[in-house]
Amino acid sequence: TSTTSTTPSLLEKSQAEEIRKKLEILLQHKSYRPAKELALNTIKSDDTFDPAYYTLGMIEFQMKKYDFAIIALERALLFSPKNLKYLYQLGQAQLENGSSKDALSTFQKGLNYALENTTNEIDHREFEVAIASVERKNKNYQTATKQISTILAKDGTYTKALIEYLQIVHEKGDDVEEELKVFLRIIIADQNNQKVGKIFAESLKKRTTIDTLYTLIPPKTTASAYSFFSNFARDISLINEAIELSEVACKNSEYENSGIVLGLAHLYELPVQFEKIILLVSIFIKKNISKKLGDLEYSKILPILEHLLVPESSLSFNELPNAPYLTIPSEGFQQPKENRKDRLESFVLDSIALFETALKVMFIQGRLNECSRLLKLLAPCLLGYELHLTHIRNENAYFGDIQRLIPLMPTTMIEETLPKLYVIGDSHSLSPAWQRIKYNGVDHVLVPALVTGCKIWHLRSESTFYPKYNFEKVVSNIPNGSTVIFLLGEIDCREGIIRAIERSYYNTITEAMQSILKIYISILKNLLETKNFKIFIHPVPPVLNETRQIVLQFNSMLNMYISLAKCGKYLDFDKELLDEKDGMLKNEYQLDGTHLNPTYVKILERYLVS
């Protein structure tokens, strides 16, 4: 076919095929670093092996280094001049690099070759769509529309043409109804299309889009669709729009669908609307009053929630814990020897996640008695279920963490008058929560300011991902001039940095860490200026064996960056958490294999004082 290399390879045929397949698999899995190494090593053995150049071109394209991508792809085409895949990708690189004339020429050449031979791996229509995309980029919307209409006249279901047409209508911005109709045609066939979802979400910035959506899709008959749509808005931090769509879904499903209600509960977390979460879960229980989880009737949970909703007990961000006279045994709940074999249906799993989310909110607010009461009801029913293997694993992780923390809470009343030290961070901010410490010779209480799932990377200036929105809302609720301990970076160390290296965004771990730390420093400097916080920086907890060395390296660099930037005081105590002999986390600081035991707070206290 026209995709076959015209230059004989110096490699053995079987060896060349094996390398080609390996490169293909590595690209599919975004394992760019090993792909790049294999491609470069192969070129040393055979500098005519075009799949290696194509691989390098694809990697540079993903890195948005379009100049280098063009060079590599042109080299690949030197040895396989009619390869449609190479021509298509070269045209895309030229277009992204601002060379629309070159892109148009490349796409036209690809189209001509594709029409010559009908046994190609690339449909000739892809080149027709690409030519239309060049016209759209040049704002020749009439020409682009005419070309796409010709394609769709032959096959109105061709997704790539529909997506290009959606982009044309969206950029023109003068026909919201048509834009929504095209979006719906695509999304029905491909619900996971992120590109289309992002276009739709951008359109939601206009009020007319939501109003038109209500007309096109009556909410009463398609409640679940509105819950689905809200996710697109959430992902680019259009939180008010996401909440509106999700509330419509809940209302029109009469609050009986646990999955839809759970989605709204998580949306309320982002602007820190905790009272609404408790109210929402209460309404859900009333609508499902006869439902049970094992022997636990949902109705048994209701009094705990309703107690939180009376005016004198209303939740507020800065409220201190009520007297935590705990009733949970210090050893917690014992897991059975064998896991349960029965499987829970989605409705029950989402119900459990709702109750676990309510527990998380109670804990963040310091309502420790209510946490104890809910745990006593819920925990025995969940024993033996492998919830960490289900779609509610994140909610269950918080449940497990809080279940272990509650027996370790202070057993004496925390006075309302105690001054607060805020701890802002991901789930690790829960470990020191509600512990009493001395700071500047005065008793203080450590108040958690949780930002669920937050990476430092999420907080970069160009990010629109919703954890950044959540971080900003949480920060805005902390009074100006407060003393704040920042505990961020564990998720970056656990997955972000390693993934960035694997995908070849950075050449070394040090380079990746420097990029993350620059973001962190920028955030801290801004908060010093705008909020007048007294800032302490907590080391990333070196709990996980698998990431401990990366964490320690990150903490060392963090210490240096903070010292140079003068944007707070770094609390340099991570080594004290580790055993001098084997470098493992000391037993007294173990909690669940992921988080620190609150006993470490005595070290934190000492470093705050010093």
Side-chain angles (χ1 to χ4, degrees):
T1 72
S2 62
T3 57
T4 305
S5 175
T6 57
T7 304
S9 174
L10 300 175
L11 299 166
E12 293 287 338
K13 189 174 180 180
S14 60
Q15 185 186 11
E17 182 60 18
E18 184 184 345
I19 292 172
R20 186 191 65 78
K21 284 183 178 177
K22 276 185 181 177
L23 290 171
E24 203 171 90
I25 290 167
L26 288 169
L27 279 180
Q28 284 175 356
H29 289 88
K30 298 184 179 180
S31 300
Y32 298 141
R33 177 167 291 277
K36 192 172 187 177
E37 288 174 0
L38 178 57
L40 290 171
N41 287 333
T42 303
I43 289 168
K44 287 178 184 177
S45 302
D46 180 1
D47 63 0
T48 68
F49 190 63
D50 50 276
Y53 293 109
Y54 171 74
T55 298
L56 294 175
M58 286 296 291
I59 293 168
E60 297 296 350
F61 184 88
Q62 294 301 324
M63 300 299 110
K64 299 185 178 179
K65 297 176 181 177
Y66 303 119
D67 284 340
F68 293 108
I70 290 167
I71 292 168
L73 291 163
E74 285 178 340
R75 184 76 177 168
L77 282 160
L78 189 65
F79 305 112
S80 184
K82 291 191 176 184
N83 189 303
L84 300 185
K85 187 167 66 172
Y86 300 174
L87 282 164
Y88 183 81
Q89 200 56 49
L90 174 61
Q92 294 294 345
Q94 290 166 333
L95 187 58
E96 291 297 334
N97 204 39
S99 308
S100 58
K101 189 177 178 182
D102 291 341
L104 196 60
S105 173
T106 301
F107 289 140
Q108 190 61 58
K109 188 186 293 183
L111 177 59
N112 294 338
Y113 289 150
L115 291 171
E116 285 175 11
N117 192 330
T118 57
T119 59
N120 303 310
E121 62 180 279
I122 289 190
D123 190 324
H124 73 274
R125 293 177 300 177
E126 289 194 42
F127 286 103
E128 292 175 336
V129 171
I131 289 168
S133 73
V134 176
E135 299 294 354
R136 173 178 55 80
K137 286 257 185 175
N138 289 331
K139 302 197 182 304
N140 298 326
Y141 296 125
Q142 191 172 352
T143 305
T145 303
K146 187 177 179 181
Q147 289 172 334
I148 290 297
S149 297
T150 302
I151 301 168
L152 291 173
K154 296 173 185 174
D155 181 2
T157 65
Y158 186 48
T159 302
K160 290 185 178 179
L162 283 169
I163 292 172
E164 181 56 36
Y165 181 51
L166 176 64
Q167 288 186 290
I168 293 167
V169 178
H170 175 68
E171 287 182 21
K172 285 173 68 180
D174 58 0
D175 194 341
V176 170
E177 185 173 337
E178 177 69 2
E179 183 177 345
L180 286 174
K181 285 179 178 178
V182 179
F183 162 73
L184 292 169
R185 283 173 69 186
I186 300 168
I187 214 69
I188 287 168
D190 183 7
Q191 292 188 1
N192 296 317
N193 195 309
Q194 294 300 311
K195 183 178 182 181
V196 170
K198 192 167 184 180
I199 295 170
F200 169 69
E202 288 288 341
S203 182
L204 288 173
K205 291 177 180 177
K206 295 181 290 190
R207 179 68 226 177
T208 51
T209 302
I210 294 179
D211 293 337
T212 307
L213 191 63
Y214 293 152
T215 304
L216 286 176
I217 309 177
K220 286 189 177 180
T221 57
T222 52
S224 59
Y226 280 87
S227 182
F228 175 67
F229 296 153
S230 74
N231 293 333
F232 293 124
R234 177 203 63 192
D235 287 346
I236 64 165
S237 289
L238 294 177
I239 305 304
N240 291 335
E241 292 81 356
I243 287 174
E244 178 179 341
L245 294 171
S246 191
E247 285 177 339
V248 165
C250 279
K251 181 180 177 182
N252 286 282
S253 62
E254 298 185 348
Y255 298 90
E256 293 178 351
N257 185 311
S258 57
I260 292 176
V261 175
L262 177 63
L264 180 55
H266 286 319
L267 284 172
Y268 284 149
E269 283 187 78
L270 301 178
V272 201
Q273 294 177 346
F274 292 151
E275 300 93 334
K276 288 187 177 181
I277 295 173
I278 299 300
L279 179 60
L280 181 66
V281 180
S282 300
I283 294 170
F284 169 76
I285 292 174
K286 289 175 183 176
K287 290 288 185 177
N288 294 277
I289 201 73
S290 63
K291 294 282 196 284
K292 295 172 74 174
L293 172 59
D295 294 329
L296 173 63
E297 297 172 1
Y298 285 12
S299 59
K300 293 284 198 292
I301 296 171
L302 198 56
I304 302 171
L305 304 177
E306 290 186 329
H307 173 68
L308 295 169
L309 294 170
V310 295
E312 58 269 24
S313 296
S314 63
L315 301 177
S316 64
F317 184 84
N318 296 311
E319 186 176 353
L320 290 173
N322 52 328
Y325 300 115
L326 306 180
T327 53
I328 286 194
S330 59
E331 69 275 11
F333 297 97
Q334 299 302 307
Q335 288 289 337
K337 292 180 180 178
E338 290 187 8
N339 290 319
R340 299 182 61 150
K341 304 299 182 189
D342 55 319
R343 296 185 62 176
L344 298 171
E345 61 181 31
S346 289
F347 176 86
V348 177
L349 285 171
D350 289 333
S351 298
I352 292 168
L354 259 180
F355 304 148
E356 291 177 335
T357 301
L359 178 75
K360 180 168 77 166
V361 167
M362 291 175 194
F363 186 82
I364 296 167
Q365 295 300 112
R367 304 305 297 252
L368 304 181
N369 271 335
E370 286 83 354
C371 285
S372 301
R373 291 171 63 196
L374 183 53
L375 276 168
K376 285 187 75 175
L377 290 176
L378 204 52
C381 302
L382 304 184
L383 293 176
Y385 286 113
E386 295 182 291
L387 297 179
H388 63 288
L389 301 178
T390 70
H391 70 272
I392 66 162
R393 56 188 173 277
N394 291 336
E395 291 89 350
N396 193 65
Y398 274 97
F399 177 82
D401 190 19
I402 293 167
Q403 183 179 329
R404 291 176 178 86
L405 288 172
I406 282 290
L408 304 174
M409 290 294 102
T411 54
T412 56
M413 181 90 170
I414 297 176
E415 300 87 351
E416 286 284 344
T417 54
L418 274 183
K420 310 174 186 72
L421 292 177
Y422 294 92
V423 184
I424 186 166
D426 55 28
S427 60
H428 293 273
S429 65
L430 301 189
S431 289
W434 307 117
Q435 301 294 325
R436 184 197 292 247
I437 66 169
K438 278 206 182 297
Y439 171 63
N440 288 342
V442 178
D443 280 351
H444 283 66
V445 63
L446 292 164
V447 177
L450 174 68
V451 186
T452 300
C454 186
K455 295 179 186 174
I456 296 169
W457 178 249
H458 293 150
L459 305 180
R460 65 197 190 282
S461 59
E462 66 272 25
S463 172
T464 58
F465 197 35
Y466 60 86
K468 180 181 177 182
Y469 175 97
N470 187 205
F471 176 85
E472 290 171 348
K473 287 294 182 180
V474 169
V475 165
S476 71
N477 280 338
I478 299 175
N480 290 357
S482 296
T483 300
V484 184
I485 301 168
F486 284 81
L487 207 175
L488 294 167
E490 192 276 329
I491 308 177
D492 298 273
C493 289
R494 173 161 38 93
E495 55 182 48
I497 290 169
I498 299 300
R499 190 177 297 163
I501 297 292
E502 174 76 4
R503 294 184 179 177
S504 209
Y505 288 106
Y506 304 100
N507 292 318
T508 64
I509 286 177
T510 299
E511 188 183 334
M513 288 181 178
Q514 287 171 337
S515 177
I516 296 294
L517 289 167
K518 284 176 184 175
I519 297 166
Y520 204 174
I521 295 300
S522 174
I523 294 294
L524 295 175
K525 282 185 170 181
N526 178 59
L527 292 175
L528 269 177
E529 185 178 331
T530 59
K531 295 285 288 183
N532 195 31
F533 287 159
K534 182 173 178 57
I535 291 175
F536 290 95
I537 299 88
H538 193 296
V540 174
V543 178
L544 291 172
N545 297 335
E546 297 82 358
T547 60
R548 187 168 297 120
Q549 292 311 309
I550 288 178
V551 164
L552 292 174
Q553 182 182 344
F554 182 86
N555 286 341
S556 177
M557 290 180 65
L558 176 59
N559 188 3
M560 179 181 69
Y561 269 65
I562 295 297
S563 176
L564 291 171
K566 295 180 170 49
C567 55
K569 181 186 175 184
Y570 178 72
L571 304 170
D572 189 13
F573 63 78
D574 55 355
K575 302 285 196 311
E576 290 198 32
L577 303 169
L578 306 175
D579 191 291
E580 292 180 8
K581 293 179 181 178
D582 58 13
M584 304 292 280
L585 188 70
K586 291 177 181 176
N587 286 334
E588 61 262 41
Y589 305 130
Q590 294 279 0
L591 183 70
D592 58 0
T594 303
H595 302 91
L596 287 170
N597 190 299
T599 53
Y600 93 95
V601 166
K602 62 181 183 288
I603 299 177
L604 174 65
E605 179 181 53
R606 180 155 42 85
Y607 275 78
L608 284 169
V609 171
S610 64

